[in-house]
Amino acid sequence: MNITKEQIDDLNAVVKVAISKEDYQDKVEKILKDYRKQANIPGFRKGQVPMGLIKKQYGKAVLVDEVNKLLQDNLNKYLTEEKLDVLGNPLPKQQENFDWDKDHLDFEFELGLAPSFDVQLKTKKAVTQYKIVADKKMIEEQVERIQKQYGKLVSKSEVGKKDEVTGIFANEAEDIDHKTTIEIDKVKSKKALDALTGKKVGEAVTLPTKGLFKEDYLLSSALGINRDKADKLDTNVTFTIEEINEREPAALDQDLFDKLFGKDKVTSEKELKDRIKEDSEKQFEQQSDQKLLNDITEKLIDETKFELPAEFLKKWIQISGEKPLSEDEAKEEFERSEKGLRYQLIEGKIIQENNLQVQFDELKEFAKGFIKSQMAQYGHLDPKDEELEGIAARVLGNQDEVRRLSEQLMSQKLLDLYKEKANLKVKEVSYDDFIKEAYS
């Protein structure tokens, strides 16, 4: 077997593979002999079928199969040994009236080659790194929410503007019959507020569904229907009051602090607000980091210029999927995926040049940290290391989870690299301003 490469240009090449009969003959003969031993052909005893008949019936299929195996194995080996960085897979060039009976078989494969380029992390224009701060207003609102959440319910005789009212929403035509509790201060409709205020247990009021609540998502849960139906609903519902309560805010005392953070971890209102600020800003950091990663990605794609073997990739896309695509479909798919492919190449270059690797020990620690944060959401704040080790071992026994966590860890490594070396300008903003500015 002989393999040679013809360079067409910087991004395209053709690999020629010459296979002689000696390369595959022994393997083909062995397989045909095995077929002969097992063949059941009428008129012949098992194992006594003439070899000529076996060759006539199976020879061509076995030959094609073995040659294709040789091609695949040796072509992959050649690409690895020659360190050819290819995009997609080699595409066989079509040959009219190919003669499989010749002693020498010649094949050609088109290659699309990865471009050569440089990546500059210090982009021409600085990328904004948002530092989101929890302002005084946000902290006060969070304190109020905590006091409300841990407060006690006091029964009332009639509905007031800050009460919680339990009752049944009903509309026979829309198949609505759902018991729920609503907070009056979340009702938006003035008509609804006027109808509810001053009502007593046992009384029923008619409320409009359109614009009933300040937040649209509340309607579906209040009526017990799916979100799509709720978004389109424009009718009236009957609300029959069963219970009226006022939530008396919890006192900002040691008992509340201990419920929130553990005994004596927080001992004053100032420490509570400091803790809320710290915890909120940690959560905000995840959002600002994701925004930074997205913005740097866009900037690197925009400023890192290189050509791709576009025509090759369109041909490869055309035949590589589950079903063949037309030329126009392949062109559209290439245009959709080009940006992602460019970043894959840029990211690969950055990872290689900065020697970023995911080691198993750090992957395990990363998994333990992820598990610990998940457990904290369910109130398990201080798990033992042995417990984390056991869960991490089970998680890392799943290859899909290993791949997912490895990708997340590599993203974190890239983010750390960008924070160290990229051209960044830090901007301090409130959370509301971040949402307006970053996602407007």
Side-chain angles (χ1 to χ4, degrees):
M1 180 181 294
N2 184 40
I3 302 180
T4 57
K5 177 170 72 74
E6 178 187 346
Q7 193 77 27
I8 306 301
D9 55 38
D10 289 343
L11 300 174
N12 296 276
V14 172
V15 169
K16 299 180 179 181
V17 184
I19 297 178
S20 65
K21 195 170 186 177
E22 292 77 17
D23 294 321
Y24 58 80
Q25 187 65 27
D26 289 347
K27 184 69 173 176
V28 169
E29 290 291 342
K30 181 180 183 304
I31 292 172
L32 291 175
K33 286 177 183 177
D34 291 339
Y35 274 30
R36 183 173 183 244
K37 292 176 186 176
Q38 303 298 325
N40 286 311
I41 297 179
F44 299 95
R45 285 184 297 164
K46 188 175 181 179
Q48 299 300 314
V49 180
M51 180 56 79
L53 188 56
I54 294 292
K55 287 184 177 181
K56 184 177 180 181
Q57 191 161 345
Y58 301 109
K60 182 63 65 67
V62 171
L63 168 64
V64 171
D65 190 47
E66 287 306 307
V67 168
N68 280 330
K69 287 179 183 176
L70 268 176
L71 283 170
Q72 184 174 344
D73 292 345
N74 286 277
L75 189 54
N76 288 338
K77 184 179 177 183
Y78 174 81
L79 296 177
T80 301
E81 289 176 348
E82 294 296 314
K83 298 179 179 178
L84 293 176
D85 192 1
V86 299
L87 301 179
N89 292 314
L91 291 179
K93 294 185 76 171
Q94 297 301 316
Q95 300 182 57
E96 297 293 331
N97 303 316
F98 190 81
D99 186 1
W100 287 94
D101 295 323
K102 290 167 59 179
D103 287 346
H104 294 276
L105 305 174
D106 295 311
F107 301 90
E108 293 186 357
F109 294 87
E110 295 178 66
L111 301 183
L113 305 177
S116 176
F117 59 92
D118 294 319
V119 180
Q120 300 296 330
L121 290 181
K122 287 198 175 297
T123 52
K124 297 171 187 174
K125 188 175 179 181
V127 177
T128 301
Q129 180 183 3
Y130 291 97
K131 177 175 173 54
I132 309 171
V133 295
D135 57 21
K136 185 177 179 181
K137 179 174 176 284
M138 173 178 280
I139 294 169
E140 292 294 345
E141 287 174 349
Q142 181 65 7
V143 170
E144 286 180 16
R145 278 195 290 271
I146 290 171
Q147 287 183 277
K148 192 172 182 180
Q149 181 182 350
Y150 286 88
K152 64 180 181 180
L153 292 175
V154 179
S155 180
K156 291 190 61 183
S157 59
E158 62 181 46
V159 178
K161 292 184 178 179
K162 293 188 177 181
D163 293 340
E164 296 179 12
V165 183
T166 300
I168 296 175
F169 278 108
N171 179 308
E172 188 174 349
E174 297 293 343
D175 195 26
I176 295 170
D177 185 10
H178 185 65
K179 182 173 180 176
T180 190
T181 298
I182 61 173
E183 298 176 44
I184 298 300
D185 63 2
K186 291 184 179 177
V187 174
K188 178 182 179 182
S189 166
K190 186 177 185 305
K191 183 179 177 182
L193 285 170
D194 290 342
L196 285 164
T197 303
K199 291 296 184 292
K200 298 179 180 180
V201 171
E203 292 189 278
V205 294
T206 300
L207 304 175
T209 58
K210 199 71 173 176
L212 179 57
F213 295 105
K214 293 176 181 176
E215 302 290 343
D216 291 339
Y217 73 90
L218 293 172
L219 185 64
S220 60
S221 59
L223 302 184
I225 59 177
N226 65 52
R227 180 70 188 270
D228 287 341
K229 180 177 179 179
D231 288 343
K232 298 172 186 173
L233 196 62
D234 186 4
T235 187
N236 291 325
V237 288
T238 300
F239 184 63
T240 303
I241 299 171
E242 294 189 343
E243 190 177 340
I244 306 167
N245 293 295
E246 180 181 9
R247 190 171 289 273
E248 190 176 283
L252 295 175
D253 56 18
Q254 194 59 48
D255 182 53
L256 177 62
F257 303 153
D258 290 349
K259 283 179 184 176
L260 292 170
F261 304 107
K263 187 165 177 58
D264 296 331
K265 295 287 180 68
V266 169
T267 59
S268 68
E269 185 176 337
K270 181 182 182 306
E271 288 182 17
L272 169 67
K273 292 179 178 179
D274 288 345
R275 182 66 179 265
I276 289 172
K277 180 178 175 66
E278 179 186 346
D279 291 348
S280 297
E281 289 178 356
K282 279 182 182 176
Q283 292 178 4
F284 296 155
E285 189 175 355
Q286 294 176 0
Q287 287 180 264
S288 64
D289 280 352
Q290 187 58 57
K291 173 66 176 166
L292 178 62
L293 195 59
N294 293 343
D295 288 348
I296 291 180
T297 297
E298 290 292 331
K299 188 63 70 177
L300 288 172
I301 292 171
D302 184 53
E303 294 192 6
T304 307
K305 305 296 184 183
F306 53 83
E307 295 296 321
L308 290 170
E311 294 308 313
F312 169 84
L313 288 170
K314 289 173 193 173
K315 280 198 281 187
W316 177 70
I317 289 169
Q318 192 173 356
I319 67 171
S320 63
E322 290 184 9
K323 64 175 185 178
L325 303 178
S326 68
E327 285 188 22
D328 287 342
E329 288 172 331
K331 181 182 177 183
E332 289 174 7
E333 181 58 33
F334 171 72
E335 289 170 353
R336 279 194 296 269
S337 59
E338 182 181 2
K339 194 173 184 180
L341 174 58
R342 286 182 177 279
Y343 186 66
Q344 283 181 20
L345 292 170
I346 293 168
E347 185 183 82
K349 183 92 168 176
I350 293 170
I351 289 171
Q352 179 186 29
E353 289 183 346
N354 293 277
N355 195 28
L356 300 182
Q357 300 176 22
V358 173
Q359 305 290 348
F360 181 77
D361 286 346
E362 59 185 355
L363 182 62
K364 184 171 74 171
E365 289 305 310
F366 183 75
K368 285 164 65 176
F370 178 77
I371 293 162
K372 190 173 181 179
S373 67
Q374 293 290 100
M375 294 172 76
Q377 292 181 21
Y378 295 95
H380 194 355
L381 300 176
D382 192 24
K384 295 186 181 301
D385 194 60
E386 309 89 76
E387 186 179 5
L388 293 172
E389 284 277 350
I391 299 173
R394 290 195 295 274
V395 169
L396 296 176
N398 182 317
Q399 288 304 308
D400 289 337
E401 286 297 309
V402 169
R403 183 164 49 252
R404 183 177 66 85
L405 289 170
S406 295
E407 289 171 356
Q408 289 181 4
L409 180 53
M410 182 55 74
S411 289
Q412 185 60 53
K413 285 175 174 282
L414 285 165
L415 183 64
D416 292 342
L417 178 72
Y418 296 155
K419 285 182 178 180
E420 178 188 350
K421 295 187 176 182
N423 183 12
L424 305 178
K425 60 176 181 182
V426 178
K427 184 172 185 178
E428 196 169 285
V429 292
S430 69
Y431 183 73
D432 287 342
D433 287 342
F434 169 73
I435 295 299
K436 289 175 188 174
E437 187 169 325
Y439 299 108
S440 60

